[in-house]
Amino acid sequence: MSISVAIRSTLLSAIFLIPGVISVAAQEAIDQAGFEKVIEASSNVLEREAYRVKTVSEKYDHRGQPPVLREESVGESLPTGRSRLVSTTSKNGVVETNETIWIGQRGWHRVGGGLWEPKQQEMGSGLSVYDQVTGTSYRIVDRAKIGSESVTVYERVQKIDHIDGGTVTLREVATQKYWITEEGRLLKTVRDVDTVGWPDRLEHTTSEYEYKPVGIVIRAPTVGK
């Protein structure tokens, strides 16, 4: 992904001691077009390479308290249009496992190791019709080494109003960071969602990507088995 990003650059000299990571903090303004070009290029890499992504997401009702919901998932994808997602959700002491397979436009789903059922494609942006993005900013927040890979860390911050009956019922700030190599490979994302004011809800999600992993075999299941 080409990194033709704008424009002002303020370099802060700081070294972070993180295992396997040598990082020099660098903050640069970046415009929307430059950011979207980088993200689109990394998406193109994902489409043409086999990869595995491990994600952990936690939701909190109050700061400093245990999460009320935790979800762990492993997604696998092949450039032949085959993908599988296995997720485990823990909520109120109840654990549920879901598995979904896609081969081209055909999909299958099962819960807890049960019977396979057909699954339809779902469309949408992830935002409700009652959600309104009131502001978005983009910047480069770091340049780092992860092992032998040189990465740039991009950040997008969105302010989102949740609207019910014409009234803003909740305001959120969603911050997402992307660790992307010089070749355009996405190595990691971290997303934090924080409410503004009450209620004091938080959400933290981390995804880590592995490219060309061994052992990915995705076959069409038999419905009803």
Side-chain angles (χ1 to χ4, degrees):
M1 189 168 298
S2 170
I3 306 177
S4 56
V5 296
I7 289 212
R8 291 181 307 134
S9 173
T10 304
L11 299 180
L12 306 176
S13 58
I15 302 296
F16 296 90
L17 301 179
I18 303 173
V21 178
I22 300 176
S23 171
V24 178
Q27 296 191 4
E28 304 177 18
I30 176 172
D31 60 18
Q32 180 177 354
F35 174 84
E36 290 179 350
K37 188 174 183 179
V38 168
I39 299 304
E40 181 182 2
S42 71
S43 297
N44 292 338
V45 172
L46 289 174
E47 287 180 1
R48 63 175 181 261
E49 291 200 30
Y51 68 90
R52 179 178 290 123
V53 55
K54 297 180 180 180
T55 300
V56 177
S57 181
E58 294 180 326
K59 294 183 179 181
Y60 303 81
D61 275 348
H62 301 285
R63 298 176 192 272
Q65 299 295 318
V68 295
L69 184 145
R70 177 181 172 88
E71 182 176 6
E72 299 182 33
S73 67
V74 176
E76 297 177 328
S77 182
L78 297 172
T80 55
R82 295 173 178 245
S83 64
R84 174 173 52 236
L85 178 67
V86 180
S87 64
T88 301
T89 302
S90 303
K91 183 177 181 181
N92 298 325
V94 178
V95 178
E96 180 179 277
T97 300
N98 289 269
E99 183 174 2
T100 302
I101 290 176
W102 288 102
I103 298 179
Q105 301 299 313
R106 300 169 63 202
W108 302 265
H109 177 76
R110 67 176 177 177
V111 177
L115 302 181
W116 285 102
E117 298 179 355
K119 182 175 177 61
Q120 302 297 318
Q121 289 273 10
E122 297 176 0
M123 307 298 292
S125 65
L127 286 176
S128 156
V129 293
Y130 302 107
D131 293 345
Q132 180 178 353
V133 178
T134 60
T136 305
S137 62
Y138 312 90
R139 63 177 181 163
I140 294 172
V141 295
D142 201 4
R143 299 185 190 277
K145 278 272 193 182
I146 300 181
S148 61
E149 299 262 32
S150 296
V151 300
T152 301
V153 185
Y154 298 86
E155 179 186 79
R156 180 184 66 188
V157 179
Q158 289 185 311
K159 296 179 180 179
I160 303 169
D161 283 353
H162 297 265
I163 301 172
D164 186 6
T167 301
V168 176
T169 58
L170 185 66
R171 283 196 165 103
E172 291 182 343
V173 177
T175 302
Q176 185 146 348
K177 293 184 174 70
Y178 307 77
W179 280 253
I180 299 176
T181 70
E182 293 176 338
E183 295 76 25
R185 283 183 169 185
L186 178 63
L187 298 186
K188 179 181 177 180
T189 64
V190 174
R191 176 178 168 84
D192 288 296
V193 179
D194 197 352
T195 56
V196 179
W198 190 90
D200 188 22
R201 293 177 183 162
L202 302 168
E203 180 179 339
H204 179 76
T205 303
T206 300
S207 298
E208 296 183 343
Y209 293 76
E210 176 189 1
Y211 290 85
K212 298 181 180 178
V214 297
I216 295 183
V217 178
I218 302 173
R219 299 187 178 93
T222 300
V223 173
K225 291 188 176 180

Short mmCIF file of all heavy atoms in Angstrom, two decimals, residues 120-129:
data_model
loop_
_atom_site.label_atom_id
_atom_site.label_comp_id
_atom_site.label_asym_id
_atom_site.label_seq_id
_atom_site.Cartn_x
_atom_site.Cartn_y
_atom_site.Cartn_z
N GLN A 120 -26.92 -16.95 4.92
CA GLN A 120 -27.01 -15.93 3.89
C GLN A 120 -25.98 -14.83 4.12
O GLN A 120 -25.57 -14.57 5.24
CB GLN A 120 -28.42 -15.32 3.87
CG GLN A 120 -29.53 -16.32 3.63
CD GLN A 120 -29.41 -16.99 2.28
OE1 GLN A 120 -29.12 -16.33 1.27
NE2 GLN A 120 -29.65 -18.30 2.24
N GLN A 121 -25.57 -14.19 3.02
CA GLN A 121 -24.67 -13.05 3.12
C GLN A 121 -25.35 -11.92 3.87
O GLN A 121 -26.55 -11.66 3.69
CB GLN A 121 -24.29 -12.54 1.71
CG GLN A 121 -23.38 -13.47 0.95
CD GLN A 121 -21.91 -13.21 1.26
OE1 GLN A 121 -21.57 -12.47 2.17
NE2 GLN A 121 -21.04 -13.82 0.48
N GLU A 122 -24.60 -11.24 4.74
CA GLU A 122 -25.12 -10.09 5.47
C GLU A 122 -24.47 -8.83 4.94
O GLU A 122 -23.26 -8.76 4.79
CB GLU A 122 -24.83 -10.24 6.97
CG GLU A 122 -25.53 -11.44 7.59
CD GLU A 122 -25.17 -11.62 9.06
OE1 GLU A 122 -24.37 -10.79 9.56
OE2 GLU A 122 -25.66 -12.57 9.68
N MET A 123 -25.29 -7.83 4.67
CA MET A 123 -24.79 -6.57 4.13
C MET A 123 -24.93 -5.48 5.19
O MET A 123 -25.79 -5.53 6.05
CB MET A 123 -25.57 -6.16 2.87
CG MET A 123 -25.61 -7.24 1.80
SD MET A 123 -23.96 -7.67 1.17
CE MET A 123 -23.56 -6.14 0.32
N GLY A 124 -24.06 -4.49 5.10
CA GLY A 124 -24.19 -3.36 6.03
C GLY A 124 -22.84 -2.79 6.38
O GLY A 124 -21.79 -3.40 6.15
N SER A 125 -22.85 -1.57 6.96
CA SER A 125 -21.62 -0.85 7.27
C SER A 125 -21.17 -1.08 8.70
O SER A 125 -20.09 -0.66 9.08
CB SER A 125 -21.84 0.66 7.07
OG SER A 125 -22.79 1.14 7.99
N GLY A 126 -22.01 -1.72 9.53
CA GLY A 126 -21.68 -1.87 10.94
C GLY A 126 -22.26 -0.77 11.79
O GLY A 126 -22.29 -0.87 13.01
N LEU A 127 -22.73 0.30 11.15
CA LEU A 127 -23.38 1.38 11.88
C LEU A 127 -24.88 1.27 11.71
O LEU A 127 -25.38 1.00 10.63
CB LEU A 127 -22.92 2.75 11.34
CG LEU A 127 -21.50 3.21 11.70
CD1 LEU A 127 -21.21 4.53 11.01
CD2 LEU A 127 -21.33 3.35 13.19
N SER A 128 -25.62 1.48 12.79
CA SER A 128 -27.08 1.49 12.73
C SER A 128 -27.54 2.75 12.00
O SER A 128 -26.83 3.74 11.93
CB SER A 128 -27.64 1.47 14.16
OG SER A 128 -28.93 2.01 14.20
N VAL A 129 -28.77 2.69 11.46
CA VAL A 129 -29.33 3.88 10.82
C VAL A 129 -29.53 4.99 11.85
O VAL A 129 -29.72 6.15 11.50
CB VAL A 129 -30.68 3.57 10.14
CG1 VAL A 129 -30.46 2.64 8.96
CG2 VAL A 129 -31.67 2.97 11.13
#
